[in-house]
Amino acid sequence: MAIAKTQTKKQDVEFNRNEDEMRLKISAVNQRLEKIHLGGGAAKIKKHQDKGKLTARDRINVLVDKNSKLIEIGAFAGYEMYEEHGGCPGGGVVVVIGYVSGRQCVIVANDATVKAGAWFPITGKKNLRAQEIAIENKLPIIYLVDSAGVYLPMQDEIFPDKEHFGRIFRNNAVMSSMGIVQIAAVMGSCVAGGAYLPIMSDEALIVNKTGSIFLAGSYLVKAAIGESIDNETLGGATTHCEISGVTDYKSEDDKDCLNTIRDLMNKLGKVEDAGFSREEPKEPKSKVEDIYGVFPMDRSKPYDSMEIIKRLVDESKFTEYKKGYGQTIICGTARIDGWAVGIVANNREIVKNKKGEMQFGGVIYSDSADKASRFIMNCNQKNIPLVFLQDVTGFMVGSKSEHGGIIKDGAKLVNAMSNSVVPKFTVILGNSYGAGNYAMCGKAYDPRLIVGWPTAQVAVMGGAQAAKVLLQIELASRKSKGEEITDQEEKDLYEKVKAKYDKQTTPEYAAARLWLDAIIDPLDTRQWISMGIEAANQAPANKPYNVGVIQT
């Protein structure tokens, strides 16, 4: 265990500055979330409520167990996207992992205040992410349906492709074959292809007078076959519960419907667990709130990564693996909220290896890649979930690294991590650049959950570096054309490129596109990991760990 150093006056000032800036960042995230939570806005919410309907978030609040834990997936989905179409706050759908009648589950609720719950491209991506979480962890999934179907002006980006709207129904069928419980409640519109979702679920409920299911509404029926009929007679609750037999339960209002779902969830049988080790949860001995001050806002500054780890793990106990070897990655076992975990964290301190060579913090060297890959294999051998704490600028470059086989050792790490059969969870604390993002279990490598602190930056490289590279390319292009450029023009071009690139590295930009499941307060990190492992514990690995061919 690292021993806390005595704070100097200079360190105290820096600590306080870091703390203030982190709190400001968290406050900014929360202010954006407050606006996102309003969906289509106050007027749309009132119009929705005047129909006797609860909002998507109110439906979830009624459904989940009182005073239970809950985490929201993809709240930032669609953030600052589709502005030419009026925006799509939250992707027009609310997704949470919570507890219903004591059972952990995924809940997907259409937000009908956003374009009547219509599906934008990001809506489809977010729904698929919810189903992916349910499939990976074998969690029951509850759909609270209130949607006008595909957003027609963007139908080409949501309708026909493999990861588009139709994939939802394919997943319904696959989950059913896997024995994953699916319950759908039709609490508003359920139109066209979307009408298949509740009926491909195990059980379907419908709310009287407000819920409706049909392949084509009354206007389209009139145009297509000349039949005059109102929507309620065509596909309302009475029709589908008493005539067609499409739905299983008729509810008088939203609350009645949600209470019926709670009754259904109360009867679910127990599941086999994955056998992950858990003991009584204990708080860290190191003050958790000090993360705000320990973590530097200046992303170029080194810091002791162990000071972060000590504030995330139970009793601040951490058994470090190969401590003196491959020091730019820290590996070791601990417990988080009682769960046994294997932690792989970038070490941001500048260290000296056994050869007396200085190594930069946050950079992956050959020896650290070798250590991490061995540790990942050990955790798979012992059935211990993996937690990746990313603050990485990439792999070490240069002739010495290339001659030493950095590509081979990096490939070994990627191979070991990619083939892991124990669940993986990724938290991006700061930098997440280049191949370092991949090696430390970025989005492409199927972490069960991936979240970022407000300080997270996801990109091929930092804004300043990228701007310099792109500027050199632009200057070379102009020079080849015989064009002259002034110092001021060069400066303006650099600033323009950097500003654009900096925006694309923000956590909000990443979360809007679901590269991150959420932007979280660092103090919520333990809860996210704990609930993630609890979910994963319902899905035992169904294959042995096999890393395939590794170049040693």
Side-chain angles (χ1 to χ4, degrees):
M1 290 278 304
I3 299 173
K5 302 178 179 69
T6 302
Q7 291 285 97
T8 66
K9 187 173 182 180
K10 182 179 179 181
Q11 288 171 326
D12 285 338
V13 170
E14 187 172 334
F15 182 99
N16 292 337
R17 185 185 300 117
N18 291 336
E19 183 178 35
D20 289 344
E21 289 192 34
M22 179 66 86
R23 290 186 185 279
L24 286 172
K25 286 181 178 291
I26 293 167
S27 177
V29 167
N30 289 336
Q31 287 175 23
R32 294 180 184 115
L33 284 173
E34 285 179 12
K35 187 175 180 180
I36 289 168
H37 289 175
L38 289 174
K44 293 287 179 66
I45 289 174
K46 185 179 185 304
K47 184 177 179 181
H48 184 86
Q49 292 170 334
D50 287 345
K51 297 176 183 178
K53 298 162 69 174
L54 298 173
T55 65
R57 293 185 179 278
D58 286 340
R59 286 167 177 167
I60 290 172
N61 289 336
V62 171
L63 180 60
V64 298
D65 298 344
K66 289 183 180 179
N67 302 317
S68 62
K69 294 179 180 178
L70 180 147
I71 55 178
E72 182 172 352
I73 305 295
F76 271 93
Y79 178 71
E80 293 187 340
M81 297 169 66
Y82 315 118
E83 291 183 342
E84 68 276 21
H85 296 277
C88 186
V93 63
V94 183
V95 175
V96 304
I97 300 175
Y99 300 85
V100 177
S101 296
R103 188 67 171 266
Q104 193 180 41
C105 59
V106 178
I107 304 170
V108 181
N110 297 116
D111 186 350
T113 71
V114 179
K115 292 287 193 292
W119 287 54
F120 282 68
I122 197 66
T123 316
K125 188 173 183 179
K126 187 170 175 178
N127 275 267
L128 288 171
R129 176 62 178 141
Q131 289 185 322
E132 180 183 43
I133 291 170
I135 291 170
E136 286 180 331
N137 300 293
K138 296 186 178 177
L139 287 179
I141 184 167
I142 299 169
Y143 308 98
L144 306 180
V145 184
D146 194 346
S147 172
V150 167
Y151 182 61
L152 293 178
M154 302 187 74
Q155 63 85 26
D156 61 320
E157 297 181 48
I158 180 59
F159 173 67
D161 210 345
K162 180 179 178 180
E163 298 300 327
H164 285 178
F165 193 58
R167 190 74 172 183
I168 303 293
F169 315 127
R170 175 265 184 193
N171 286 350
N172 288 144
V174 168
M175 284 190 281
S176 183
S177 72
M178 294 174 65
I180 296 171
V181 173
Q182 300 176 83
I183 298 173
V186 180
M187 310 181 81
S189 297
C190 189
V191 185
Y196 287 103
L197 184 147
I199 315 313
M200 294 190 73
S201 300
D202 302 319
E203 293 180 289
L205 304 86
I206 187 168
V207 178
N208 195 26
K209 303 301 181 184
T210 56
S212 59
I213 311 172
F214 34 67
L215 295 180
S218 57
Y219 292 122
L220 186 55
V221 168
K222 176 69 173 177
I225 64 173
E227 180 183 4
S228 296
I229 190 170
D230 63 90
N231 282 338
E232 183 64 25
T233 306
L234 179 66
T238 299
T239 295
H240 286 308
C241 285
E242 300 176 17
I243 300 174
S244 72
V246 165
T247 50
D248 307 307
Y249 305 93
K250 181 179 179 181
S251 304
E252 288 310 309
D253 55 29
D254 281 9
K255 289 186 178 179
D256 180 39
C257 180
L258 297 168
N259 285 332
T260 302
I261 295 174
R262 289 184 56 80
D263 287 341
L264 296 174
M265 290 292 291
N266 181 254
K267 310 301 188 298
L268 296 188
K270 293 183 179 179
V271 295
E272 176 190 1
D273 66 44
F276 301 136
S277 172
R278 192 179 198 189
E279 294 182 351
E280 181 184 349
K282 295 179 180 177
E283 290 297 313
K285 286 186 176 178
S286 297
K287 190 177 178 183
V288 179
E289 291 81 2
D290 282 353
I291 286 177
Y292 291 171
V294 170
F295 192 82
M297 292 298 107
D298 183 344
R299 302 307 311 120
S300 65
K301 284 192 175 182
Y303 64 92
D304 185 355
S305 300
M306 279 300 306
E307 291 300 319
I308 302 295
I309 294 172
K310 285 161 55 177
R311 288 165 172 81
L312 295 178
V313 302
D314 291 12
E315 297 187 291
S316 301
K317 286 184 178 179
F318 183 73
T319 304
E320 190 167 355
Y321 174 80
K322 290 183 179 289
K323 182 176 180 179
Y325 176 70
Q327 295 176 75
T328 63
I329 289 183
I330 297 171
C331 298
T333 52
R335 290 190 181 274
I336 293 180
D337 200 37
W339 294 103
V341 295
I343 294 175
V344 182
N346 299 113
N347 184 9
R348 284 302 306 267
E349 282 196 307
I350 297 173
V351 298
K352 184 181 292 186
N353 65 18
K354 294 301 179 183
K355 297 178 182 179
E357 300 166 331
M358 300 304 295
Q359 294 185 332
F360 298 103
V363 178
I364 302 175
Y365 290 77
S366 285
D367 54 356
S368 50
D370 173 62
K371 177 173 80 171
S373 61
R374 289 170 183 264
F375 178 72
I376 289 167
M377 288 187 273
N378 282 344
C379 286
N380 274 270
Q381 184 77 0
K382 295 186 285 189
N383 199 32
I384 301 174
L386 288 160
V387 175
F388 292 83
L389 303 178
Q390 281 200 22
D391 194 353
V392 58
T393 52
F395 283 83
M396 191 59 191
V397 296
S399 61
K400 187 172 183 179
S401 292
E402 298 294 357
H403 296 171
I406 186 66
I407 296 175
K408 175 187 67 178
D409 290 315
K412 178 164 46 174
L413 172 55
V414 171
N415 195 330
M417 181 270 300
S418 299
N419 286 295
S420 176
V421 295
V422 296
K424 300 168 293 195
F425 302 89
T426 301
V427 183
I428 301 178
L429 316 185
N431 302 332
S432 181
Y433 293 158
N437 169 280
Y438 298 163
M440 292 293 293
C441 196
K443 177 70 173 179
Y445 294 85
D446 299 323
R448 296 294 177 94
L449 294 172
I450 178 169
V451 297
W453 288 1
T455 44
Q457 296 180 332
V458 184
V460 172
M461 62 182 74
Q465 298 94 315
K468 288 176 183 177
V469 172
L470 294 172
L471 178 62
Q472 291 304 313
I473 294 172
E474 178 66 19
L475 292 175
S477 174
R478 292 194 181 190
K479 186 176 181 181
S480 68
K481 297 175 184 177
E483 297 178 7
E484 295 290 333
I485 184 169
T486 67
D487 290 344
Q488 185 60 47
E489 287 176 328
E490 182 175 331
K491 182 181 178 182
D492 291 344
L493 182 58
Y494 170 82
E495 292 298 334
K496 181 180 178 181
V497 173
K498 184 177 181 299
K500 179 181 178 181
Y501 206 89
D502 283 344
K503 183 177 181 179
Q504 292 178 350
T505 66
T506 64
E508 290 85 0
Y509 191 92
R513 289 153 183 80
L514 291 174
W515 305 343
L516 300 177
D517 289 320
I519 304 170
I520 67 169
D521 185 326
L523 305 188
D524 292 333
T525 305
R526 282 169 52 85
Q527 177 176 316
W528 272 81
I529 293 171
S530 176
M531 287 187 67
I533 297 175
E534 182 182 350
N537 199 39
Q538 300 186 49
N542 56 10
K543 60 182 179 180
Y545 182 53
N546 184 351
V547 295
V549 177
I550 289 184
Q551 296 287 340
T552 58

